[in-house]
Amino acid sequence: MKAIEIKNLYKDYKNFSLKNINLEIDKGTVMGLIGENGAGKTTIIKSILGLVNYKGSIKILGEDLSKEIKEGIGVVLNEGFFTETLKIKDIEKVLSSAYKNWDKNYFYDLIKEFKIPENTKYKEFSTGNKMKLKIAIALAPHPKFLILDEPTSGLDPVIRDEILDIFFDFIKNEDATILFSTHITSDLEKIADYITFISEGEIIFSKSKEELLYNYGILRTSEEEIKEYDPKFIIKRKNNTYNIDALIENKEEFLRIYPDALVDRPTIEEIMILFERGK
Ligand code: ATP
């Protein structure tokens, strides 16, 4: 069963368009959405959640978005949040009436587990605690599906690691699905099963992380040497001061033909940068 099936999604803003987005996410997997600022990640997430109008079809667990479906999704968005003077108990009261499946005990368990201060006003929370609170709220109604827009951005590595641990706990349930957008590609290396890369409103690729890291390589070469390689393997190249980095595909076949070539295993960040900035 697909957690999400997006077909022919188009969305036009004045100076930006999502163009023919087709994307599937299997239930029980973690999908990371990457792309530079303004690539369209938030617009895709808002389309899924019915927060913007769009053209195309989006099915969640095989159905159109409905109130019931929405209640089964834990959501973390970037947007502003609580009245600044509220404390945890005030926030909990507001939310308990807003969510049908709200689990007060579980919410307080999460607050304790995430070490969120209970007697501090929201405005005095650190950025990390604000994000952990948003995640606790998303988790408290026991969703099977989490959709998070940049849950780790602006946070230090220790808090990011804590947040990834929260996600690891969540996906212990084999039905649990996560879709999250990020610029922090190293987080994806830790947790994502699949990665979708968006650039200027279009999907460049949507692949399993293993396939991505296995299929692509970074060829370290030079202006003279690069001419010796079959261009069918070379997707992008970037000239550095003393050498050229080229993104190649079908790495195994390439290495069979050119066993002496210097090819490194890429990071997701290198793949993204070469796609964006390479020629
Ligand atoms: P970031 O990583 O910076 O959050 P993103 O990949 O999430 O970027 P979006 O927020 O989806 O990108 O924005 C994509 C483009 O759409 C941007 O150029 C943005 O300015 C534009 N955009 C977003 N919302 C609106 C709106 N309500 N009206 C007009 N343009 C918009």
Side-chain angles (χ1 to χ4, degrees), residues 11-18 34-46 52 78 149-150 181-183 198 201:
K11 167 76 193 165
D12 283 322
Y13 286 127
K14 193 163 167 246
N15 296 311
F16 172 81
S17 301
L18 278 184
I34 57 169
E36 55 183 4
N37 288 117
K41 304 180 294 296
T42 303
T43 309
I44 292 179
I45 287 178
K46 285 188 169 169
V52 293
N78 261 319
D149 196 8
E150 307 268 1
S181 72
T182 186
H183 312 282
I198 300 158

Side-chain angles (χ1 to χ4, degrees), residues 42 114 137 155:
T42 303
F114 299 172
I137 292 166
L155 303 178

Side-chain angles (χ1 to χ4, degrees), residues 48 95 161 197 211:
I48 293 170
L95 295 167
D161 201 55
F197 175 39
E211 187 189 342

